[in-house]
Amino acid sequence: MMLLQKYLSDECSPSEMEELFDYLQDKRSNRVLLTSIQEEFNKVIKAKYEMPQEINNRIQAKLAAQIASVPVVPIKPSYIKWLQIAASIVLVISTSVLYFYFKTNQISQQPSVVKNEKLKDKVVPGGNKALLILDGGEQIILEDAKNGILAKQGHTTINREDAGRVVYYSQIKKNIAPQFNTISIPRGGQYEVVLPDGTQVWLNASSSLRFPTVFNGKERKVELSGEAYFEVTKNRNMPFTVVLVSNSKNSNEIHKENMSIQVLGTHFNVMAYEEEGSAVTTLLEGSVKIISSITQALLKPGEQAVFHNKSRKVNVSAGNVEASVAWKKGYFHFENENIYSIMRKISRWYDVDIEYRGDFTKKTLWGDISRFENVSEVLNMLELTRSIHFKLEGRRVIVMP
């Protein structure tokens, strides 16, 4: 373990590096390595934090699961590849432990895992920011507004209840034409809106939701661009429909309907950023029907539908629920995820621009990292893999091999 620490700190002598290579080549060392890492982090956690026994037990169980998941089989990768694997293991365990402990204790700012003078600039994480655009064009900056009534629209009252939540209260009246409002989330923002029927929607950065001020008629219909998590109020007589639209400034398909999701009452996450090239719907509870111009698909809990923007086809498979809702719970979850996808998430949440100096097509990373870290700390954690490096210049992140 000490040799691995010295290697990651660039302090290994040639003889020590050779010893570490030999150690990692030994198939019996796979599980031993993870056990050593577990013991090392136990020391760090105990030295810095007073942790309740219950939380400590949960962390130990998570570490034990990591260890148990590693098979003891002969593996013969190259020396460098082995070190990348070992460093990735450190990233997975260390960031999972830190997130698990601090999130449980509701502490928003976590200490840095590693120090890196290159990344000393501070770009703070996103927060509760949103712009509410009323029918007619009036705009309300929600983070600047006070709690209480924001506006009244016919039989609907709009309240700001706290720093990250706006609620619509509506007295449903038949034959009343609804007005349409839009809540727009900038880069570096997130917000929750409770719709007139009680449906709760959490919106991620660079997202928007257009919805009526009152639901009447035969369906409840909203339009989404970006990413949102829905907990839909059940109403069998009025199905809830989410229509995915494009809002890219460079797109010729602005507000063109790409796909819709029909539900009665359910919990699901939709990630439909224009730049991702596909829309991913992950179902947690209930059932939803995915509808495109050429196909339909019915999802069961735990399943995921991927709608491909170009082909307009829908593929259904077992979903990664943890990854899909990680953003809502306050952390990044990377599971064999490519660098470009990771950096798009970082760009949206931290409101930074990304510049690539090299080809990272084959680079993937694993790990859980809190979204409440400054961007420099997140980049430092990713650098632990030694497969990628970063330079921070103002609000620009330069990605290098």
PDB file of all heavy atoms in Angstrom, residues 8 37 74 100 105 108 163 184 243 250 269 274 283 306 315-316 384 388:
ATOM      1  N   LEU A   8       1.612   7.031  -6.763  1.00  0.00           N
ATOM      2  CA  LEU A   8       0.627   8.052  -7.111  1.00  0.00           C
ATOM      3  C   LEU A   8       1.125   9.446  -6.795  1.00  0.00           C
ATOM      4  O   LEU A   8       0.634  10.434  -7.337  1.00  0.00           O
ATOM      5  CB  LEU A   8      -0.691   7.778  -6.375  1.00  0.00           C
ATOM      6  CG  LEU A   8      -1.412   6.486  -6.776  1.00  0.00           C
ATOM      7  CD1 LEU A   8      -2.635   6.271  -5.904  1.00  0.00           C
ATOM      8  CD2 LEU A   8      -1.808   6.523  -8.244  1.00  0.00           C
ATOM      9  N   ILE A  37      -5.987  -1.272   0.827  1.00  0.00           N
ATOM     10  CA  ILE A  37      -6.598   0.033   0.603  1.00  0.00           C
ATOM     11  C   ILE A  37      -7.686   0.283   1.632  1.00  0.00           C
ATOM     12  O   ILE A  37      -7.824   1.375   2.183  1.00  0.00           O
ATOM     13  CB  ILE A  37      -7.172   0.118  -0.826  1.00  0.00           C
ATOM     14  CG1 ILE A  37      -6.034   0.089  -1.844  1.00  0.00           C
ATOM     15  CG2 ILE A  37      -8.011   1.379  -1.023  1.00  0.00           C
ATOM     16  CD1 ILE A  37      -6.500  -0.031  -3.274  1.00  0.00           C
ATOM     17  N   PRO A  74      -5.932 -15.269 -12.680  1.00  0.00           N
ATOM     18  CA  PRO A  74      -4.711 -14.782 -13.320  1.00  0.00           C
ATOM     19  C   PRO A  74      -5.020 -13.653 -14.294  1.00  0.00           C
ATOM     20  O   PRO A  74      -5.889 -13.775 -15.143  1.00  0.00           O
ATOM     21  CB  PRO A  74      -4.201 -16.024 -14.067  1.00  0.00           C
ATOM     22  CG  PRO A  74      -4.872 -17.173 -13.414  1.00  0.00           C
ATOM     23  CD  PRO A  74      -6.204 -16.679 -12.977  1.00  0.00           C
ATOM     24  N   PHE A 100     -20.299   8.770   0.687  1.00  0.00           N
ATOM     25  CA  PHE A 100     -21.249   8.037   1.504  1.00  0.00           C
ATOM     26  C   PHE A 100     -21.320   8.634   2.898  1.00  0.00           C
ATOM     27  O   PHE A 100     -22.386   8.865   3.443  1.00  0.00           O
ATOM     28  CB  PHE A 100     -20.814   6.569   1.583  1.00  0.00           C
ATOM     29  CG  PHE A 100     -21.846   5.679   2.218  1.00  0.00           C
ATOM     30  CD1 PHE A 100     -22.952   5.286   1.483  1.00  0.00           C
ATOM     31  CD2 PHE A 100     -21.717   5.246   3.514  1.00  0.00           C
ATOM     32  CE1 PHE A 100     -23.912   4.466   2.060  1.00  0.00           C
ATOM     33  CE2 PHE A 100     -22.664   4.426   4.087  1.00  0.00           C
ATOM     34  CZ  PHE A 100     -23.764   4.041   3.356  1.00  0.00           C
ATOM     35  N   ASN A 105     -24.303  12.557   6.454  1.00  0.00           N
ATOM     36  CA  ASN A 105     -24.284  13.559   7.499  1.00  0.00           C
ATOM     37  C   ASN A 105     -24.676  14.945   7.001  1.00  0.00           C
ATOM     38  O   ASN A 105     -24.569  15.928   7.726  1.00  0.00           O
ATOM     39  CB  ASN A 105     -22.889  13.617   8.135  1.00  0.00           C
ATOM     40  CG  ASN A 105     -22.650  12.432   9.033  1.00  0.00           C
ATOM     41  OD1 ASN A 105     -22.988  12.456  10.197  1.00  0.00           O
ATOM     42  ND2 ASN A 105     -22.099  11.356   8.484  1.00  0.00           N
ATOM     43  N   SER A 108     -22.194  19.712   3.088  1.00  0.00           N
ATOM     44  CA  SER A 108     -22.133  20.052   1.673  1.00  0.00           C
ATOM     45  C   SER A 108     -20.720  20.225   1.153  1.00  0.00           C
ATOM     46  O   SER A 108     -20.450  20.027  -0.001  1.00  0.00           O
ATOM     47  CB  SER A 108     -22.939  21.332   1.413  1.00  0.00           C
ATOM     48  OG  SER A 108     -22.372  22.413   2.099  1.00  0.00           O
ATOM     49  N   ALA A 163     -35.404  27.987  -0.986  1.00  0.00           N
ATOM     50  CA  ALA A 163     -34.397  28.385  -1.970  1.00  0.00           C
ATOM     51  C   ALA A 163     -34.358  27.511  -3.208  1.00  0.00           C
ATOM     52  O   ALA A 163     -33.754  27.892  -4.211  1.00  0.00           O
ATOM     53  CB  ALA A 163     -33.018  28.401  -1.310  1.00  0.00           C
ATOM     54  N   SER A 184     -36.686  27.715 -16.539  1.00  0.00           N
ATOM     55  CA  SER A 184     -35.432  27.477 -17.266  1.00  0.00           C
ATOM     56  C   SER A 184     -34.268  27.442 -16.280  1.00  0.00           C
ATOM     57  O   SER A 184     -34.097  28.370 -15.486  1.00  0.00           O
ATOM     58  CB  SER A 184     -35.230  28.590 -18.297  1.00  0.00           C
ATOM     59  OG  SER A 184     -34.016  28.417 -19.004  1.00  0.00           O
ATOM     60  N   VAL A 243     -43.264  15.472 -23.238  1.00  0.00           N
ATOM     61  CA  VAL A 243     -42.798  15.556 -24.619  1.00  0.00           C
ATOM     62  C   VAL A 243     -41.385  16.105 -24.618  1.00  0.00           C
ATOM     63  O   VAL A 243     -41.118  17.156 -24.027  1.00  0.00           O
ATOM     64  CB  VAL A 243     -43.713  16.474 -25.461  1.00  0.00           C
ATOM     65  CG1 VAL A 243     -43.176  16.598 -26.881  1.00  0.00           C
ATOM     66  CG2 VAL A 243     -45.133  15.937 -25.468  1.00  0.00           C
ATOM     67  N   ASN A 250     -28.244  25.959 -32.055  1.00  0.00           N
ATOM     68  CA  ASN A 250     -27.654  25.661 -33.367  1.00  0.00           C
ATOM     69  C   ASN A 250     -28.459  24.624 -34.140  1.00  0.00           C
ATOM     70  O   ASN A 250     -28.049  24.153 -35.183  1.00  0.00           O
ATOM     71  CB  ASN A 250     -26.216  25.150 -33.184  1.00  0.00           C
ATOM     72  CG  ASN A 250     -25.332  26.191 -32.523  1.00  0.00           C
ATOM     73  OD1 ASN A 250     -25.420  27.371 -32.838  1.00  0.00           O
ATOM     74  ND2 ASN A 250     -24.483  25.750 -31.612  1.00  0.00           N
ATOM     75  N   ASN A 269     -36.654   9.057 -14.440  1.00  0.00           N
ATOM     76  CA  ASN A 269     -35.685  10.089 -14.790  1.00  0.00           C
ATOM     77  C   ASN A 269     -35.544  10.131 -16.311  1.00  0.00           C
ATOM     78  O   ASN A 269     -35.515   9.095 -16.977  1.00  0.00           O
ATOM     79  CB  ASN A 269     -34.312   9.793 -14.171  1.00  0.00           C
ATOM     80  CG  ASN A 269     -33.356  10.963 -14.312  1.00  0.00           C
ATOM     81  OD1 ASN A 269     -33.374  11.897 -13.517  1.00  0.00           O
ATOM     82  ND2 ASN A 269     -32.503  10.929 -15.325  1.00  0.00           N
ATOM     83  N   GLU A 274     -29.504  17.759 -25.886  1.00  0.00           N
ATOM     84  CA  GLU A 274     -29.299  17.720 -27.326  1.00  0.00           C
ATOM     85  C   GLU A 274     -27.924  17.162 -27.687  1.00  0.00           C
ATOM     86  O   GLU A 274     -27.768  16.368 -28.616  1.00  0.00           O
ATOM     87  CB  GLU A 274     -29.457  19.141 -27.896  1.00  0.00           C
ATOM     88  CG  GLU A 274     -29.331  19.242 -29.398  1.00  0.00           C
ATOM     89  CD  GLU A 274     -30.585  18.800 -30.118  1.00  0.00           C
ATOM     90  OE1 GLU A 274     -31.615  18.567 -29.452  1.00  0.00           O
ATOM     91  OE2 GLU A 274     -30.520  18.678 -31.355  1.00  0.00           O
ATOM     92  N   LEU A 283     -36.804   4.031 -15.486  1.00  0.00           N
ATOM     93  CA  LEU A 283     -38.005   3.902 -14.653  1.00  0.00           C
ATOM     94  C   LEU A 283     -37.666   3.322 -13.285  1.00  0.00           C
ATOM     95  O   LEU A 283     -37.037   2.274 -13.181  1.00  0.00           O
ATOM     96  CB  LEU A 283     -39.030   3.007 -15.352  1.00  0.00           C
ATOM     97  CG  LEU A 283     -40.359   2.810 -14.624  1.00  0.00           C
ATOM     98  CD1 LEU A 283     -41.100   4.132 -14.489  1.00  0.00           C
ATOM     99  CD2 LEU A 283     -41.216   1.777 -15.354  1.00  0.00           C
ATOM    100  N   VAL A 306     -33.528   3.848 -24.413  1.00  0.00           N
ATOM    101  CA  VAL A 306     -32.636   4.796 -25.077  1.00  0.00           C
ATOM    102  C   VAL A 306     -33.237   5.119 -26.444  1.00  0.00           C
ATOM    103  O   VAL A 306     -33.371   4.249 -27.303  1.00  0.00           O
ATOM    104  CB  VAL A 306     -31.220   4.226 -25.241  1.00  0.00           C
ATOM    105  CG1 VAL A 306     -30.326   5.228 -25.964  1.00  0.00           C
ATOM    106  CG2 VAL A 306     -30.628   3.871 -23.881  1.00  0.00           C
ATOM    107  N   ASN A 315     -34.338   1.526 -27.848  1.00  0.00           N
ATOM    108  CA  ASN A 315     -33.807   0.265 -27.332  1.00  0.00           C
ATOM    109  C   ASN A 315     -34.077   0.182 -25.833  1.00  0.00           C
ATOM    110  O   ASN A 315     -33.785   1.128 -25.093  1.00  0.00           O
ATOM    111  CB  ASN A 315     -32.304   0.162 -27.585  1.00  0.00           C
ATOM    112  CG  ASN A 315     -31.967   0.101 -29.058  1.00  0.00           C
ATOM    113  OD1 ASN A 315     -32.724  -0.457 -29.850  1.00  0.00           O
ATOM    114  ND2 ASN A 315     -30.830   0.661 -29.442  1.00  0.00           N
ATOM    115  N   VAL A 316     -34.609  -0.944 -25.387  1.00  0.00           N
ATOM    116  CA  VAL A 316     -34.941  -1.149 -23.973  1.00  0.00           C
ATOM    117  C   VAL A 316     -34.029  -2.209 -23.382  1.00  0.00           C
ATOM    118  O   VAL A 316     -33.795  -3.256 -23.992  1.00  0.00           O
ATOM    119  CB  VAL A 316     -36.416  -1.582 -23.802  1.00  0.00           C
ATOM    120  CG1 VAL A 316     -36.722  -1.864 -22.328  1.00  0.00           C
ATOM    121  CG2 VAL A 316     -37.348  -0.506 -24.334  1.00  0.00           C
ATOM    122  N   LEU A 384      -6.415  10.916 -10.125  1.00  0.00           N
ATOM    123  CA  LEU A 384      -5.847   9.786  -9.386  1.00  0.00           C
ATOM    124  C   LEU A 384      -5.640   8.567 -10.281  1.00  0.00           C
ATOM    125  O   LEU A 384      -4.813   7.711  -9.988  1.00  0.00           O
ATOM    126  CB  LEU A 384      -6.768   9.397  -8.214  1.00  0.00           C
ATOM    127  CG  LEU A 384      -6.639  10.211  -6.926  1.00  0.00           C
ATOM    128  CD1 LEU A 384      -7.727   9.811  -5.946  1.00  0.00           C
ATOM    129  CD2 LEU A 384      -5.266  10.012  -6.302  1.00  0.00           C
ATOM    130  N   ILE A 388      -5.408  10.593 -17.092  1.00  0.00           N
ATOM    131  CA  ILE A 388      -5.869  11.866 -17.630  1.00  0.00           C
ATOM    132  C   ILE A 388      -5.400  12.991 -16.715  1.00  0.00           C
ATOM    133  O   ILE A 388      -5.212  12.784 -15.501  1.00  0.00           O
ATOM    134  CB  ILE A 388      -7.410  11.867 -17.752  1.00  0.00           C
ATOM    135  CG1 ILE A 388      -7.879  13.070 -18.563  1.00  0.00           C
ATOM    136  CG2 ILE A 388      -8.078  11.819 -16.382  1.00  0.00           C
ATOM    137  CD1 ILE A 388      -9.328  12.975 -18.965  1.00  0.00           C
TER     138      ILE A 388
END
